[in-house]
Amino acid sequence: MLKNKLFTSESVTEGHPDKVCDQIADAILDELLKNDKKSRSAVEVCSTTGLVLVLGEVTTEGYVDIEATVRRVVNEIGYNREEYGFDGHTCAVMNSIHEQSPDIALGVDRALEAKEGVITDKFDIGAGDQGIIFGYACDETPELMPMPITLAHRLSKKLADVRKSGEIPYLRPDGKTQVTVEYDGDGKPIHVDTVVVSTQHSPEAELSRIRADLISKVIAPTLGDELFDKNTKLYVNPTGRFVIGGPAGDSGLTGRKLIVDTYGGYSRHGGGSFSGKDPTKVDRTAAYAARYVAKNIVAAGLAKRCELQLAYAIGVARPVSIMIETFGTCAVDEEALARYIYETVDLRPAAIIERFDLFRPIYRAVSTYGHMGREDLNVPWEARDLADDLKERFGK
């Protein structure tokens, strides 16, 4: 008999120092795409007390006021007062961006297959780098995402909402959540075992009030009573005090919360991060495509769990490999399914960009609370428009 198991995922709010950096990087990308949709961007951001450093490579025909963009984002997040130890009005902003390497551009502008005459259509750009990318979906939630990361994101979003609305007036922007879900022997989620919420707060807020408010106004209304009950272990600000937060409390860096961005560790991850990268970068674009394919396979009822791996070579348009893993839940032949995906879904970067219309300024919106499962934002990689074709092809 299979034993029950526990699985844990975390999320963070907009004010977490790493997420501050992700939002700045994607806000800069959005501004680049507004001015020139063909912009190439590989922007990194790091932050610490009183300082934001923007670095990386950009090629564009447009113009972006980097400093103004940084200050706007920091203030919008909620770091808009000097007393917070870090704010968008007074922080120093250093800009160390330079042009993309022409050697890289050679492979992106025209794929190897186009140079050899194999590709003759408009989708002739190459992958911006080599990379292995994973997409995942499962039937645990309506969004077809793993339950632990879904609940952790909901808690983080609720934490931000009650701060912004003033419902809990002493909250500050930085915060973290963590959810442990118990699964039965068949892999079905049956109970929320543990919830951890840590939130930055003003110095005068008392711990007893913080705990009471977060349980009644954040945790209980977000989780409901289906899987959350009196046996769920709750830890609210377990250190007892969290006044110094954001970049004043810890340095931040783009891409350091990539597991939060995807599946909470429930699926494998290729290692590439998203924020600050334009759509020619397969770390971002192919990850969205892999999620789309995996989600549609699950939505079609062909599997309860599906993980898709794609691999690319720099300057080459087509993926060098496609792998589908359904963990014993597939109702059809996996090899036939992988072959159908390869033949039916064009996974060249330019084709993915066109399919999802990725040269739009949509990226800051997904830089917090996950890039995957975001049906609330109506992002194109969450569409289920391939599911009917899959059902028809495989008779489901």
Side-chain angles (χ1 to χ4, degrees):
M1 182 177 178
L2 296 175
K3 295 181 179 180
N4 291 6
K5 67 177 183 179
L6 301 175
F7 193 88
T8 304
S9 295
E10 71 158 350
S11 177
V12 297
T13 64
E14 296 144 65
H16 185 280
D18 295 329
K19 276 292 147 201
V20 170
C21 295
D22 286 344
Q23 289 168 90
I24 292 171
D26 273 339
I28 291 171
L29 174 60
D30 283 348
E31 292 300 316
L32 287 165
L33 294 175
K34 286 178 186 177
N35 293 300
D36 175 14
K37 70 177 184 178
K38 294 183 179 180
S39 295
R40 300 280 170 78
S41 171
V43 171
E44 304 289 349
V45 179
C46 57
S47 63
T48 187
T49 305
L51 173 66
V52 175
L53 172 61
V54 182
L55 62 157
E57 299 81 44
V58 166
T59 301
T60 184
E61 296 296 324
Y63 169 75
V64 175
D65 189 329
I66 299 294
E67 180 177 345
T69 302
V70 169
R71 296 191 186 283
R72 171 175 59 83
V73 172
V74 172
N75 284 321
E76 288 174 353
I77 289 169
Y79 291 118
N80 50 21
R81 299 181 185 179
E82 192 173 355
E83 66 190 82
Y84 292 171
F86 177 85
D87 72 276
H89 301 297
T90 65
C91 68
V93 178
M94 296 181 64
N95 180 358
S96 186
I97 287 177
H98 57 87
E99 191 172 8
Q100 183 186 51
S101 163
D103 293 345
I104 295 175
L106 282 173
V108 178
D109 293 340
R110 195 158 183 258
L112 177 65
E113 299 101 313
K115 296 171 185 174
E116 294 177 344
V118 176
I119 292 178
T120 57
D121 60 18
K122 60 183 178 180
F123 301 135
D124 62 350
I125 70 170
D129 200 351
Q130 70 179 45
I132 54 172
I133 294 96
F134 289 91
Y136 183 80
C138 61
D139 62 359
E140 294 178 14
T141 66
E143 303 91 343
L144 303 184
M145 286 284 288
M147 184 172 286
I149 188 64
T150 298
L151 296 181
H153 281 323
R154 288 178 188 171
L155 286 170
S156 289
K157 182 65 165 59
K158 183 66 172 178
L159 189 59
D161 289 344
V162 297
R163 172 180 64 85
K164 294 175 182 178
S165 70
E167 185 177 355
I168 304 182
Y170 52 80
L171 296 183
R172 291 183 177 177
D174 198 355
K176 304 179 76 170
T177 65
Q178 186 172 283
V179 176
T180 301
V181 173
E182 181 182 4
Y183 291 79
D184 66 16
D186 294 322
K188 179 182 178 181
I190 57 174
H191 183 240
V192 175
D193 182 83
T194 307
V195 174
V196 183
V197 179
S198 296
T199 181
Q200 186 186 12
H201 57 84
S202 60
E204 65 274 10
E206 296 181 357
L207 182 58
S208 58
R209 182 184 176 190
I210 295 171
R211 287 177 172 166
D213 283 348
L214 263 60
I215 291 171
S216 64
K217 298 178 181 180
V218 175
I219 297 173
T222 300
L223 298 183
D225 57 7
E226 183 178 355
L227 300 175
F228 168 70
D229 57 32
K230 63 181 181 181
N231 295 318
T232 300
K233 296 182 284 292
L234 300 179
Y235 298 95
V236 176
N237 277 26
T239 64
R241 182 176 172 85
F242 187 0
V243 173
I244 302 172
D250 192 9
S251 61
L253 183 66
T254 41
R256 203 156 55 180
K257 280 287 176 280
L258 52 86
I259 298 301
V260 172
D261 287 339
T262 53
Y263 308 101
Y266 207 90
S267 167
R268 286 172 283 195
H269 196 291
S273 60
F274 304 146
S275 292
K277 296 178 181 177
D278 75 82
T280 67
K281 311 295 191 293
V282 290
D283 280 342
R284 167 167 242 152
T285 302
Y288 295 159
R291 161 65 179 171
Y292 169 76
V293 172
K295 181 175 183 177
N296 276 271
I297 288 171
V298 174
L302 303 186
K304 293 182 176 296
R305 300 167 60 198
C306 181
E307 184 180 75
L308 180 79
Q309 187 205 50
L310 303 174
Y312 291 85
I314 187 168
V316 179
R318 295 191 183 278
V320 298
S321 70
I322 297 176
M323 182 276 293
I324 292 178
E325 170 64 72
T326 60
F327 309 95
T329 70
C330 197
V332 300
D333 180 66
E334 281 187 3
E335 185 177 347
L337 182 58
R339 186 165 55 251
Y340 178 78
I341 294 300
Y342 183 81
E343 294 171 353
T344 306
V345 182
D346 195 335
L347 293 169
R348 293 176 292 172
I352 299 170
I353 290 167
E354 179 173 272
R355 184 179 197 125
F356 296 150
D357 192 13
L358 293 180
F359 282 135
R360 294 176 292 148
I362 60 173
Y363 298 105
R364 186 185 168 191
V366 292
S367 61
T368 51
Y369 312 117
H371 291 245
M372 312 305 177
R374 298 304 300 275
E375 295 185 350
D376 58 317
L377 297 176
N378 197 32
V379 291
W381 53 90
E382 292 298 322
R384 307 183 187 211
D385 54 349
L386 186 63
D388 287 342
D389 290 343
L390 286 165
K391 289 178 185 177
E392 182 178 352
R393 170 64 177 83
F394 291 95
K396 293 294 176 180

